[in-house]
Amino acid sequence: MKIGVVGKGGVGKTTVSALIARTLQQRGRRVLAVDTDSNPNLGFSLGLDFDEIEAVPTVPRSIVVGTRGDLTVEEVMADYGVPTPAGVTLMSALRVDEAGAGCTCGGHATVRSLLGQTLDAEVDDTIIDMEAGIEHLSRSGGTLAHADVLVVVMEASRKAVITAQRTIGLARELGIGAWVGVANKIEADQGDLLRRLCTEHGVPLDIVIPAEPAVVTADRLGAPLGDGVAPEVWSAINALVDRLSTAATRF
Ligand SMILES: Nc1ncnc2c1ncn2[C@@H]1O[C@H](COP(=O)(O)OP(=O)(O)OP(=O)(O)O)[C@@H](O)[C@H]1O
Ligand SMILES: [Mg+2]
């Protein structure tokens, strides 16, 4: 599966990406997690420390991946895939190291070309932790055009649900096959508001991940997301992973 994790800024894309990646890895899958944040931090959630994250090489911008391109899938994996303590291979694609270095469009094109390849020889599942917003769906060709399924993350706010609504509209236009609506960091008293917002904006609500103090603590410390996370969160993530494989019928 090629899974794009998208949504408004701060809704929990990186958290959800890491939890999906760990769950798939624990089910015996070979998982590649691609961090497309210009300020990457998925590595923390997968167990790397600051120095190790700093040492992760960034995939060069504007290269075409494929046997007739600049690098083959095998070469990209060997040169830019970094093992993590979570057992997931991490790749950093859009990191910005230099002030005034220009836009990241070339990096988006690279990610698009990687996703367009058959990755089966190297990985079973690829998770793209996407930068915030919806521009990645409108960039030339659409960074996630070759994704099999989008995980559309939202929190219990109208702005987050509207972003999900817009995302789904663009995904449809791009021809992405399927998507799953995921509400994250939901407090016990937010259920009614969330359902109302999703109904008003036509956004199906497939999975609800509760607010979890251990996620906040891990984030503050730059610590991995793992054992301390409550069973309710893992249940929701397991349900999400089950759902991903059947989501292809959504459109
Ligand atoms: N289930 C949860 N319960 C409580 N807090 C959460 C949960 N998921 C994420 N958070 C918190 O929300 C904040 C944003 O999470 P995260 O970095 O995963 O979001 P993001 O969508 O990747 O953000 P960005 O748009 O900046 O990339 C963090 O402080 C994180 O600890
Ligand atoms: Mg993030």
Side-chain angles (χ1 to χ4, degrees):
M1 272 186 298
K2 294 167 184 168
I3 305 160
V5 181
V6 298
K8 187 180 173 300
V11 292
K13 297 175 294 297
T14 299
T15 303
V16 171
S17 297
L19 293 171
I20 294 173
R22 280 179 176 271
T23 300
L24 285 166
Q25 191 278 335
Q26 279 160 16
R27 292 186 183 192
R29 311 277 293 177
R30 298 167 302 165
V31 182
L32 170 65
V34 183
D35 192 337
T36 70
D37 201 320
S38 51
N39 176 25
N41 53 30
L42 179 60
F44 284 117
S45 304
L46 297 175
L48 298 183
D49 65 26
F50 175 70
D51 291 337
E52 290 166 331
I53 291 170
E54 289 297 286
V56 174
T58 309
V59 182
R61 287 185 197 173
S62 302
I63 63 164
V64 174
V65 181
T67 41
R68 286 154 65 186
D70 302 296
L71 289 176
T72 63
V73 170
E74 294 74 23
E75 287 167 338
V76 172
M77 287 294 290
D79 295 350
Y80 299 100
V82 174
T84 65
V88 171
T89 301
L90 175 68
M91 201 176 272
S92 178
L94 288 169
R95 182 184 174 121
V96 170
D97 289 312
E98 206 184 322
C103 78
T104 58
C105 290
H108 281 269
T110 301
V111 173
R112 184 178 191 279
S113 80
L114 174 67
L115 280 184
Q117 299 302 308
T118 303
L119 305 175
D120 301 3
E122 300 282 325
V123 292
D124 298 310
D125 297 309
T126 302
I127 297 162
I128 312 289
D129 174 16
M130 193 37 82
E131 64 177 4
I134 54 176
E135 199 196 344
H136 50 82
L137 292 167
S138 70
R139 279 174 202 270
S140 179
T143 315
L144 293 173
H146 301 294
D148 298 310
V149 55
L150 294 189
V151 172
V152 183
V153 186
M154 54 202 156
E155 55 193 0
S157 79
R158 191 177 293 279
K159 287 179 181 173
V161 174
I162 288 173
T163 303
Q165 179 187 20
R166 290 177 177 145
T167 300
I168 290 161
L170 291 172
R172 270 205 185 93
E173 280 180 40
L174 263 185
I176 296 175
W179 56 272
V180 176
V182 176
N184 181 43
K185 32 178 164 170
I186 304 304
E187 304 282 354
D189 61 356
Q190 292 178 327
D192 288 346
L193 169 67
L194 180 64
R195 275 185 289 278
R196 183 163 56 78
L197 290 173
C198 286
T199 303
E200 280 179 29
H201 292 283
V203 176
L205 183 56
D206 296 304
I207 301 288
V208 177
I209 303 171
E212 166 58 30
V215 171
V216 179
T217 306
D219 227 61
R220 283 193 185 131
L221 300 175
L225 278 177
D227 297 340
V229 173
E232 294 76 17
V233 171
W234 287 117
S235 307
I237 296 292
N238 270 290
L240 168 56
V241 169
D242 291 342
R243 185 73 191 235
L244 287 176
S245 43
T246 56
T249 52
R250 173 53 61 74
F251 280 173

